[in-house]
Each structure stands twice: as structure tokens, then as C-alpha cells.
Amino acid sequence: MIDRYSRQTLFEGIGEEGQKRLGNSYVVIIGCGALGTVIATSLVRAGVGKTRIIDRDFIEYHNLQRQVLFNEDDIRDQLPKAIAAERHLKKVNSSVEIEGIVDDVNYTNIERFIGGADLVLDGLDNLETRFLINDACLKHRIPWVYGGAISSSGMTMNIRPGETPCFRCLSSTVPNPEVVLTCDTAGVISPAPFIIGSLESAEAMKILVGAKEIDRDLRIIDVWQGTFHRFKIARRKDCPACQGKYEFLEGRFGVRTTSLCGQNAVQVLNPGAEHLSLEELARRLKPVAEVSYNEFMLRFTVDNHEMIVFPDGRAILRNTTDESLARGLYARYIGA
Ligand SMILES: [Zn+2]
């Protein structure tokens, strides 16, 4: 025990007392891709007492370029990310509790998933679930660390209910899906999520040990340009979440799916999306899919599924009745 953490307890910011606090802590990591694998590996190695990792996806070859916990065997064994992460991390540190959960986090289940946690960490690739984390964490007064990375850049900010601005203060409305780049259309290089995941892990340690150095700013980094910026974010007076209106948690916004009976298709509704520019979306999808569009609809095919998108953000995914697959593909290629 002493040997395992000796280099960390020597560090005065942690010490023996901090190590005990880490050991008594319970964190929930939502999303186990590039960010989540970095965060999980840091915190499990650091001796956080219990770590819950939630992710809905399986591992694919194009994940290995940046998702540090996974390997080719996991793909051959067809393991979900949460299970592979749990298995690998248990071999790293058998003295702590690690729980992998394979599920889609949404407004019906998030409160159950984060209940009792000391801290929630964002390892996500979509905005919608971040607004949901924000609502649930504010409601239950659990601090959370926001982090996102794409292309060569990323950003992170700590959100502590009652003390700091929240994620909705930061981006008050759901942005148009076409301006939200996703990893599947814009690409990503590993140093971007690595550095953001590392910053999230450091903030997690500080929050868990009760350090006075906990960061208050939004930090934005571009590893290709070599730029590091910090921004002071103000609390918005009209922020619904800060006033206790949890619209995402109530299921008022967010992507909704309906299986279209007899058509072998799923309809995806995105009430939070405003008018969608199909021209802009076509330009963004061009590198990854065959796209055709007119002023009424846009059509593209990925992974053997044809998706038809309308200017109000609505989409129909053909050739499946799997609603969670439809939500996943919508988040990947259209965003939000
Ligand atoms: Zn707010």
C-alpha cells in the first residue's frame, strides 16, 4: 500500500492525508473513449477507492490510435469499452474497486448512475449528454469536470454547484448541430485528448483531496498551434440550470428516437436543434460519406445505413430498428 503510492504521497499537494481521501472517494466517469481511458487510468493508478466507468460502445480499430486502455485482443473478443476498461484496470490496481457499465446514459437513468458519487468526470464525445450531466450534477450538488477534445484542440472547466458558473452558463443554448464538429467528421490526434484528459485527472485529484488550487477558468489548448488560453467565465443571470430548471434532465431537450414500425427504420428527433443548414452539413460529411442533398433533405450512407436528415434536425435511419444505434450514429455524424 505504502509502496504503491509512495511517489504520490511524497508530493506535498497529496501527502498521506490526501492519499487517504483519494482512497475513500467514489468517482463516475461517463464516456470511455480517448478522454475516459486517460482519466480512468490516472485515477485508478492514483488509488481512487471506487471508479465507475459508463460507456455504450464497442471497440473498433480506429479507436486504438488514441484510446490508451484498449488493444487488438479486445476487438477480437468483441468487448464493450466499459468491460475492457474494467478488466485492464483491475490488473493495474487490485486494491481499489472498478465497475464497468455498458449503457447509454440518458435522462431516465443518469441520476441512478451518479448517485452517491463525490465527483463526475466527462469523457464524452457529444454535447447533449454534457447538458444532462450538468443538470443532474447541479441537482444533486456533485462537482463535475467538463472536458472535450477534437481535431488538435480541447477544452476543460470545473463545475462546482453553487460555487462556479455551470456548463449551460458556458454555452447557454444547444448549438446548431452543423457547427458541432465530431471526431468522425473532423478527425482527432491523440495529444489533444491526452492533455485534456490529464488536466481533468489533475483537477479530479485536487477536488477529491480538497486542494485550494482548484481551477476556476475555462482552459483551451491547441497542441498543433501550441496555444494555451484561459478564459474567465461568468455565471449567466438567465441560466435555467443555475436557477434549478433542469430541462435536459426532464427530457425536454435532447435526441429522441422512435422505431418506425414495419419500415425497418428509426426516426431521430432533436428538439434542441434549431434550423440546420443542409449545405453546411453536406460539406462536413463529404470526407466520410457519400452525400446528396436539396433544400428539403440530405441523404448519406455510413456503416450500411442510409440516413435522411431534414432542416429541423429530424433524421430517419434506414435498415435498422435499433434505437440506441440510431442515437449513436446521429451523435457521431450530425452532432449534439
Ligand atoms: Zn448556469
Side-chain angles (χ1 to χ4, degrees), residues 2-290:
I2 289 163
D3 277 342
R4 180 187 287 270
Y5 305 119
S6 64
R7 297 304 183 273
Q8 188 167 289
T9 50
L10 276 173
F11 173 69
E12 64 172 5
I14 304 277
E16 297 288 347
E17 184 53 36
Q19 191 61 48
K20 253 183 242 154
R21 290 190 187 181
L22 291 178
N24 290 325
S25 298
Y26 167 32
V27 303
V28 175
I29 301 170
I30 303 183
C32 194
L35 290 171
T37 52
V38 168
I39 298 164
T41 203
S42 299
L43 298 185
V44 165
R45 285 172 196 273
V48 166
K50 181 176 173 187
T51 303
R52 172 178 276 180
I53 301 164
I54 313 167
D55 192 284
R56 66 183 176 197
D57 278 333
F58 284 77
I59 305 161
E60 297 168 272
Y61 275 97
H62 63 79
N63 298 148
L64 299 185
Q65 163 252 3
R66 66 192 180 284
Q67 302 185 8
V68 286
L69 267 179
F70 309 134
N71 60 47
E72 294 180 359
D73 290 342
D74 299 330
I75 297 173
R76 275 193 291 272
D77 297 342
Q78 299 187 15
L79 293 183
K81 292 181 181 180
I83 299 303
E86 180 191 302
R87 286 190 188 171
H88 293 310
L89 288 169
K90 278 184 168 165
K91 290 184 194 163
V92 170
N93 192 346
S94 58
S95 69
V96 295
E97 203 179 322
I98 303 153
E99 179 191 27
I101 295 178
V102 185
D103 212 332
D104 174 57
V105 174
N106 57 55
Y107 73 96
T108 67
N109 59 21
I110 187 165
E111 292 179 88
R112 180 162 49 84
F113 283 143
I114 67 166
D118 296 303
L119 179 67
V120 174
L121 289 134
D122 173 6
L124 288 162
D125 59 358
N126 74 87
L127 270 178
E128 184 205 339
T129 317
R130 287 194 181 109
F131 284 111
L132 194 60
I133 294 179
N134 189 63
D135 276 3
C137 283
L138 258 59
K139 182 177 172 187
H140 295 276
R141 305 191 71 76
I142 300 169
W144 73 282
V145 183
Y146 153 62
I150 193 147
S151 184
S152 61
S153 70
M155 56 179 86
T156 181
M157 190 172 99
N158 296 326
I159 290 141
R160 287 179 294 148
E163 289 181 50
T164 65
C166 80
F167 189 68
R168 270 193 99 174
C169 294
L170 180 64
S171 51
S172 59
T173 54
V174 185
N176 279 341
E178 80 264 24
V179 302
V180 183
L181 299 171
T182 77
C183 281
D184 295 276
T185 55
V188 59
I189 54 171
S190 63
F194 287 1
I195 197 164
I196 296 298
S198 296
L199 288 174
E200 289 189 69
S201 307
E203 293 306 317
M205 291 182 192
K206 287 192 255 178
I207 292 169
L208 294 174
V209 305
K212 61 179 187 301
E213 295 90 348
I214 300 166
D215 207 279
R216 288 190 72 90
D217 298 340
L218 172 71
R219 285 175 289 168
I220 302 182
I221 290 172
D222 188 308
V223 296
W224 206 256
Q225 305 298 330
T227 52
F228 295 73
H229 295 288
R230 114 190 336 272
F231 298 93
K232 297 249 173 271
I233 303 299
R235 179 176 279 175
R236 288 180 62 105
K237 284 202 182 76
D238 59 348
C239 172
C242 281
Q243 290 170 32
K245 284 190 210 128
Y246 306 121
E247 295 167 309
F248 287 86
L249 196 54
E250 288 159 8
R252 270 191 226 170
F253 296 139
V255 176
R256 288 178 214 168
T257 54
T258 328
S259 185
L260 302 176
C261 296
Q263 293 185 38
N264 192 26
V266 177
Q267 174 176 266
V268 183
L269 292 179
N270 187 359
E274 286 160 34
H275 186 80
L276 182 67
S277 158
L278 297 181
E279 190 183 352
E280 178 58 39
L281 181 63
R283 197 176 313 134
R284 195 156 56 80
L285 289 171
K286 218 173 171 184
V288 291
E290 198 145 305

